Amino acid sequence: MEVWEKINYLLEEKKMTKQEFANKLIMLEPKLKRTSEIPSVQTILGYLYGKRELKVELIPYIAEVLEVDEQELFRFDIEYASEYNIRYSKDAREILELLYYTPKPMIEHIKTVLRKYKKTYEDGVKEI
C-alpha cells in the first residue's frame, strides 16, 4: 500500500471526502519547498489519486488533518482489502494499542477466544 492509498483509507475510515480533506489541508497553509506556495486543491487531489508525487513537507499537515500521528501514514500493519473489514480497522488499531496495558491472563483469554473464532471460520470455509 502506498502512502497516498493509506491517506485515502483513513479518509474513508473518517468519512471525509477528498474535497473536505483538501480544504482542511489548505486552511493549515502548508508551503511547498520548491515554490514556497500553498498547494492548490487540484494538486492535493492529484496526490490523493496517486497522480502526483506526495511532498514530504506536507506529511505533518496531512497527519494533523487526519488526526493521526505522522507514523500512522507509514504503518501498514492493519490493512483490509474488503469494504466489510474497513469499518473495523480503527477498532483493530485501538485494540492493538490497548494490549500494552492488558495483564497476561487477559491476553491468554483473548487468544483463546480468537482461536475459537478462527477454528469456527476455518471449519465454515472447509464446508463450502
Side-chain angles (χ1 to χ4, degrees), residues 27-39:
M27 285 185 351
L28 295 176
E29 300 182 356
K31 300 238 173 76
L32 297 173
K33 281 186 182 178
R34 193 173 62 83
T35 63
S36 295
E37 293 182 5
I38 298 169

Side-chain angles (χ1 to χ4, degrees), residues 1-12 18 21 44 46-63 66 68-76 79:
M1 180 180 273
E2 299 288 330
V3 173
W4 66 271
E5 292 173 305
K6 180 68 180 257
I7 293 168
N8 281 295
Y9 182 81
L10 291 168
L11 287 175
E12 188 172 341
K18 289 175 173 60
F21 171 79
I44 295 168
Y47 299 143
L48 296 177
Y49 286 106
K51 305 285 185 201
R52 300 184 70 113
E53 186 78 22
L54 185 64
K55 304 299 181 198
V56 71
E57 61 263 32
L58 296 178
I59 295 297
Y61 299 98
I62 291 169
L66 294 173
V68 297
D69 64 52
E70 293 175 28
Q71 290 305 309
E72 181 64 29
L73 300 174
F74 301 96
R75 239 187 324 243
F76 303 106
E79 293 179 14

Side-chain angles (χ1 to χ4, degrees), residues 2 17 20 56-57 69 73 78 80-81 87 98 119 126:
E2 299 288 330
T17 68
E20 290 170 329
V56 71
E57 61 263 32
D69 64 52
L73 300 174
I78 301 293
Y80 296 94
R87 292 177 286 181
L98 292 172
K119 182 172 178 1
K126 287 178 188 175

Side-chain angles (χ1 to χ4, degrees), residues 8-9 11-15 79-90:
N8 281 295
Y9 182 81
L11 287 175
E12 188 172 341
E13 184 178 89
K14 293 175 180 298
K15 298 181 184 354
E79 293 179 14
Y80 296 94
S82 73
E83 182 67 26
Y84 172 76
N85 286 331
I86 198 166
R87 292 177 286 181
Y88 300 107
S89 64
K90 186 176 182 181

